[in-house]
């Protein structure tokens, strides 16, 4: 599904020879809308593939994936840890971006620009901060981390899932920062035994940073 979405995005933005079909600087609104539709597609593919493979074929319930009620204790811990992570992410990210500019090349350059209207930017922010975080947590914690945890010690499973989560973000600086966040997200999932804790933490972090 992701491969098909990338092919569709390429078809919409490039000509037959791979050249840019539109000037991104001149038509940022069109580009952002294509990206917006792609993110919606990624969300549908992400949640849909998990539902089809694990719930329908695997005969597992959503609660077995981690959708258990969250206690007030872990609700507070999630919020506090999210705020700490925002600070850490901004400090480390800014330092590395200034010190090694090449690491930050490509970060959200095509997402939020002054050339796109408010509604498009709000749609992108809503998807990035809220909707996509649900399917990411479903996959990286509810499925991948849980699978690693079946045959690995906790910290090894946390580290391995964090590395995969980091690599998934592709841009070097994002890979590093996402890896740090992946450790915290897997840890709180392990301790709280509910996906709502990492989902809430992830949403708060990305909303503030976004």
């Amino acid at each position: 599904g992701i491969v098909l979405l990338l092919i569709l995005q390429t078809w919409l933005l490039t000509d037959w020879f791979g050249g840019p079909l539109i000037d991104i600087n001149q038509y940022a609104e069109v580009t952002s809308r294509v990206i917006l539709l792609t993110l919606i597609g990624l969300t549908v593919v992400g949640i849909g593939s998990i539902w089809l493979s694990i719930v329908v074929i695997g005969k597992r319930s959503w609660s077995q994936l981690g959708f258990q009620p969250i206690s007030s204790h872990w609700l507070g811990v999630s919020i506090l840890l999210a705020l700490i992570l925002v600070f850490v992410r901004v400090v480390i990210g800014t330092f590395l971006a200034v010190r090694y500019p090449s690491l930050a090349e490509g970060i959200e350059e095509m997402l939020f620009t002054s050339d796109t209207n408010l509604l498009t930017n709000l749609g992108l922010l809503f998807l990035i901060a809220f909707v996509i975080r649900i399917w990411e947590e479903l996959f990286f914690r509810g499925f991948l981390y849980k699978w690693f945890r079946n045959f690995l010690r906790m910290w090894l499973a946390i580290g391995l899932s964090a590395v995969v989560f980091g690599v998934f973000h592709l841009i070097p600086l994002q890979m590093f920062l996402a890896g740090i966040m992946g450790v915290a997200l897997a840890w709180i999932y392990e301790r709280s035994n509910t996906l709502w804790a990492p989902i809430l933490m992830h949403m708060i972090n990305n909303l503030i940073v976004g």
Side-chain angles (χ1 to χ4, degrees), residues 34-71:
V34 171
I35 294 173
L36 181 62
L37 290 173
T38 304
L39 291 176
I40 293 172
L42 285 172
T43 303
V44 173
V45 168
I47 296 177
S49 60
I50 291 170
W51 170 76
L52 183 62
S53 60
I54 298 177
V55 178
V56 176
I57 299 175
K59 306 297 183 184
R60 307 258 178 167
S61 66
W62 289 107
S63 61
Q64 286 177 293
L65 277 173
F67 282 112
Q68 306 284 352
I70 184 171
S71 67

Side-chain angles (χ1 to χ4, degrees), residues 192-207:
S192 67
N193 199 34
T194 172
L195 266 179
W196 291 117
I199 286 174
L200 178 63
M201 202 171 84
H202 206 160
M203 284 180 174
I204 292 171
N205 186 275
N206 280 68
L207 179 62

Side-chain angles (χ1 to χ4, degrees), residues 52-112:
L52 183 62
S53 60
I54 298 177
V55 178
V56 176
I57 299 175
K59 306 297 183 184
R60 307 258 178 167
S61 66
W62 289 107
S63 61
Q64 286 177 293
L65 277 173
F67 282 112
Q68 306 284 352
I70 184 171
S71 67
S72 57
H73 168 74
W74 286 110
L75 183 66
V77 172
S78 300
I79 295 171
L80 178 62
L81 194 53
L83 295 175
I84 293 172
L85 275 173
V86 169
F87 177 76
V88 171
R89 183 174 173 180
V90 169
V91 170
I92 295 177
T94 303
F95 172 77
L96 290 176
V98 172
R99 182 85 174 176
Y100 308 102
S102 60
L103 293 178
E105 287 179 1
I107 288 186
E108 296 174 3
E109 288 176 349
M110 295 170 63
L111 295 181
F112 305 104

Side-chain angles (χ1 to χ4, degrees), residues 7-170:
I7 291 173
L8 176 62
Q9 186 186 52
T10 303
W11 177 71
L12 290 171
L13 292 176
T14 61
D15 59 26
W16 289 105
F17 303 100
L21 197 59
I22 58 173
D23 183 345
I24 291 175
N25 295 320
Q26 187 175 356
Y27 298 100
E29 180 66 35
V30 176
T31 306
S32 293
R33 287 180 182 179
V34 171
I35 294 173
L36 181 62
L37 290 173
T38 304
L39 291 176
I40 293 172
L42 285 172
T43 303
V44 173
V45 168
I47 296 177
S49 60
I50 291 170
W51 170 76
L52 183 62
S53 60
I54 298 177
V55 178
V56 176
I57 299 175
K59 306 297 183 184
R60 307 258 178 167
S61 66
W62 289 107
S63 61
Q64 286 177 293
L65 277 173
F67 282 112
Q68 306 284 352
I70 184 171
S71 67
S72 57
H73 168 74
W74 286 110
L75 183 66
V77 172
S78 300
I79 295 171
L80 178 62
L81 194 53
L83 295 175
I84 293 172
L85 275 173
V86 169
F87 177 76
V88 171
R89 183 174 173 180
V90 169
V91 170
I92 295 177
T94 303
F95 172 77
L96 290 176
V98 172
R99 182 85 174 176
Y100 308 102
S102 60
L103 293 178
E105 287 179 1
I107 288 186
E108 296 174 3
E109 288 176 349
M110 295 170 63
L111 295 181
F112 305 104
T113 73
S114 59
D115 298 320
T116 56
N117 65 43
L118 179 62
L119 189 60
T120 301
N121 279 337
L122 286 176
L124 288 168
L125 183 61
F126 177 75
L127 282 169
I128 291 169
F130 296 106
V131 181
I132 290 178
R133 301 310 142 214
I134 294 176
W135 85 257
E136 276 193 345
E137 291 310 309
L138 255 175
F139 179 76
F140 287 103
R141 259 58 66 178
F143 169 69
L144 190 65
Y145 170 73
K146 203 169 205 177
W147 181 55
F148 287 150
R149 190 71 176 91
N150 285 333
F151 52 89
L152 295 173
R153 293 181 181 273
M154 183 186 79
W155 285 110
L156 189 55
I158 287 176
L160 192 55
S161 66
V163 168
V164 176
F165 182 61
V167 170
F168 178 77
H169 286 75
L170 300 178

